[in-house]
Amino acid sequence: MRLSHYFLPILRDDPKEAEIVSHRLMLRAGMIRQSAAGIYSWLPLGLRVLRKIEQIIREEQDRAGAIELLMPTLQSAELWRQSGRYDAYGPEMLRLKDRHDRDLLYGPTNEELITQIFRDATSSYRDLPRILYHIQWKFRDEIRPRFGVMRGREFLMKDAYSFDLTPEAARHSYNKMFVAYLRTFHRMGLKSIPMAAETGPIGGEMSHEFIILAKTGESRVFCHKALLELTPPDENIDYDSDLGPVIAPWTSQYAATEEIHNAAEFAKQVPEEQQIEARGIEVGHIFNFGTKYTKAMNCAIQGPDGSLITPQGGSYGIGVSRLVGAIIEASHDDNGIIWPKAVAPFDIGMINLKSGDAQTDSACEQLYSQLRSAGFEVLYDDTRERAGAKFKTMDLIGLPWQIVIGPRGLKDGAVELRERATGKAEMIPLEGVIARLREPEPGLGKL
RNA sequence: CGGGGCAUGGCGCAGUCUGGUAGCGCACCUGGUUUGGGACCAGGGGGUCGCAAGUUCGAAUCUUGCUGCCCCGACCA
């Protein structure tokens, strides 16, 4: 993409409404614009990140055997009356009426709807287990939206729902999602820590929040240091095998959010030098809630012996739009965002230091086209800005690699390759750029 | 919802106390000089001063009502 043809409204100054760093940087980097309190438009750069995150989530859900569908944003109140949540949910739920004066709501979650869909389409035990998911916009009318996309009212969420015949089978579905979440967040360059959690209004007995540590996190969390060193299973993990032992390293160590933290237990279970007390951002939440919704929604399945079985349910959320902010909270410096490679809006930012100079232009054009043919996503700054301004912009938007091309280096046929995360720069021959970019990252195993 | 604050061009702000018809920096446009970490000079364009009613010869400025947004708290993916 040529910057001269792109839509990237950079702000040089901090907008005063943005308090925390991710919100500030997203506004300044031209990723989002606010439309109303807690409601945002996603500009091209932000959208690209959102899509990358979505895609990683999708791949890992699919790998774990979940099946994608898409439910609407608007739901009928009638459905929610069946589960009893229409009245229980409170003012957080946005309620509206259509022209026939029928009650509708903008979905804050989808347990009722998915249960209805599943119920109406399934009658045999042979059709279980299933995990269905979708990635859709939700609305919760928060009392006080804040922190940009981290706590918006409208937000993009992946939510999955499992249906199983027995509690044991439901436990297995839960474990599948547990593993999928470990892998998902790891692929995004995040260290996520599953923590025992309260179940809240969704209900149920078993629940984990997936927390990433960040100074600006909204809640205090406590855990064993060893949890930070664990690596998730690789892509060859067999999701049909017993996953209990696989997740044991995570579930056997103390890890709790503030709400259920028990200081005495913490002290007893974790040696002082291994204790971590930090702030965290919740990016995922998994629940197992038994028959809460299937029962309320009259969902029954015929078993092998002809008897009716009420399926066991679970739901599994990931805050997709929140993750964009969370990743920035976890990965930035004074100059701007530092995108993990897997979610960066572009792989490479190419800076033409002397647009209009025939030699520099042609070297840039040549490399730009080669990089794209090689499969890289490149944002090419071909504008007439001065060098300094271009550097500042590139640092702000945080693309993993910067390629700096100017007459000085071209004299020797070289360009500068700079890694945003480390600031390390090296001069390499024009022809060597692609080979250099393809070198495997040290320490990054195959996931 | 309780407490605090803000609303003036795309962004950041001054002007409001003491009414006289809107200004600064950045950004933008034109020309010139510049050009490896947010250049300089000159000339320009752009604002129903959040909305409504009122006071007044005259309102960004005073009065009343409303709306939007931000921060702290309780609540939450």
Side-chain angles (χ1 to χ4, degrees), chain A residues 281-299:
Chain A
I281 301 168
E282 180 184 354
V283 290
H285 203 158
I286 60 179
F287 303 89
N288 181 321
F289 43 62
T291 58
K292 175 167 176 177
Y293 296 98
T294 42
K295 199 177 227 165
M297 304 285 301
N298 253 328
C299 173

Side-chain angles (χ1 to χ4, degrees), chain A residues 191-383:
Chain A
K191 272 199 186 312
S192 74
I193 305 171
M195 300 198 171
E198 280 187 323
T199 51
I202 312 272
E205 299 102 51
M206 186 172 25
S207 174
H208 283 89
E209 285 181 14
F210 285 72
I211 300 280
I212 65 171
L213 302 184
K215 281 148 279 168
T216 44
E218 44 189 336
S219 52
R220 283 167 67 222
V221 297
F222 306 83
C223 70
H224 194 294
K225 199 174 177 181
L227 287 165
L228 291 171
E229 311 304 327
L230 298 173
T231 307
D234 72 22
E235 62 185 359
N236 297 312
I237 176 80
D238 178 5
Y239 276 102
D240 292 326
S241 67
D242 179 10
L243 295 173
V246 175
I247 66 169
W250 284 272
T251 52
S252 58
Q253 300 285 7
Y254 188 95
T257 58
E258 197 166 13
E259 298 81 47
I260 63 165
H261 174 60
N262 180 324
E265 273 302 303
F266 190 41
K268 199 168 104 190
Q269 290 184 29
V270 186
E272 197 161 348
E273 71 279 4
Q274 298 290 316
Q275 292 181 358
I276 291 203
E277 179 182 345
R279 302 198 70 86
I281 301 168
E282 180 184 354
V283 290
H285 203 158
I286 60 179
F287 303 89
N288 181 321
F289 43 62
T291 58
K292 175 167 176 177
Y293 296 98
T294 42
K295 199 177 227 165
M297 304 285 301
N298 253 328
C299 173
I301 297 293
Q302 201 159 21
D305 58 358
S307 66
L308 287 178
I309 302 165
T310 303
Q312 303 282 321
S315 75
Y316 315 90
I318 293 181
V320 183
S321 47
R322 164 179 284 191
L323 267 167
V324 181
I327 290 168
I328 295 172
E329 291 295 328
S331 184
H332 67 272
D333 64 15
D334 289 345
N335 294 318
I337 301 168
I338 303 173
W339 289 114
K341 292 189 170 69
V343 299
F346 294 91
D347 302 313
I348 300 163
M350 202 173 88
I351 294 179
N352 182 336
L353 282 181
K354 199 166 182 182
S355 293
D357 173 75
Q359 251 203 314
T360 314
D361 286 350
S362 93
C364 286
E365 288 297 335
Q366 190 193 331
L367 186 55
Y368 177 54
S369 119
Q370 285 171 359
L371 285 167
R372 287 192 303 156
S373 313
F376 292 101
E377 295 175 325
V378 185
L379 183 64
Y380 167 29
D381 188 345
D382 58 340
T383 65

Side-chain angles (χ1 to χ4, degrees), chain A residues 121-268:
Chain A
T122 308
S123 47
S124 163
Y125 72 96
R126 296 179 206 276
D127 294 324
L128 270 66
R130 287 292 183 274
I131 302 177
L132 303 171
Y133 77 97
H134 78 339
I135 298 175
Q136 178 63 289
W137 291 93
K138 307 241 180 310
F139 194 92
R140 291 182 194 167
D141 201 355
E142 297 280 342
I143 295 169
R144 181 155 99 84
R146 60 183 125 175
F147 305 147
V149 300
M150 298 253 288
R151 176 95 68 82
R153 292 193 293 171
E154 187 183 48
F155 56 97
L156 187 61
M157 183 173 173
K158 185 284 301 183
D159 41 327
Y161 304 91
S162 63
F163 296 91
D164 283 283
L165 290 172
T166 65
E168 297 68 40
R171 175 74 210 218
H172 185 235
S173 292
Y174 184 89
N175 290 350
K176 281 184 181 174
M177 287 294 112
F178 195 110
V179 171
Y181 277 31
L182 290 174
R183 290 184 40 77
T184 299
F185 298 128
H186 185 84
R187 280 187 60 189
M188 292 174 192
L190 298 171
K191 272 199 186 312
S192 74
I193 305 171
M195 300 198 171
E198 280 187 323
T199 51
I202 312 272
E205 299 102 51
M206 186 172 25
S207 174
H208 283 89
E209 285 181 14
F210 285 72
I211 300 280
I212 65 171
L213 302 184
K215 281 148 279 168
T216 44
E218 44 189 336
S219 52
R220 283 167 67 222
V221 297
F222 306 83
C223 70
H224 194 294
K225 199 174 177 181
L227 287 165
L228 291 171
E229 311 304 327
L230 298 173
T231 307
D234 72 22
E235 62 185 359
N236 297 312
I237 176 80
D238 178 5
Y239 276 102
D240 292 326
S241 67
D242 179 10
L243 295 173
V246 175
I247 66 169
W250 284 272
T251 52
S252 58
Q253 300 285 7
Y254 188 95
T257 58
E258 197 166 13
E259 298 81 47
I260 63 165
H261 174 60
N262 180 324
E265 273 302 303
F266 190 41
K268 199 168 104 190

Side-chain angles (χ1 to χ4, degrees), chain A residues 379-426:
Chain A
L379 183 64
Y380 167 29
D381 188 345
D382 58 340
T383 65
R384 298 296 189 112
E385 280 299 315
R386 298 167 60 83
K390 292 187 175 189
F391 289 132
K392 290 287 185 191
T393 297
M394 278 303 172
D395 285 349
L396 173 64
I397 66 175
L399 306 181
W401 295 104
Q402 299 173 358
I403 298 176
V404 181
I405 304 179
R408 189 191 289 176
L410 285 177
K411 272 197 311 232
D412 310 313
V415 301
E416 184 182 294
L417 180 69
R418 185 193 299 260
E419 192 175 21
R420 174 65 179 89
T422 59
K424 275 194 205 131
E426 49 190 304

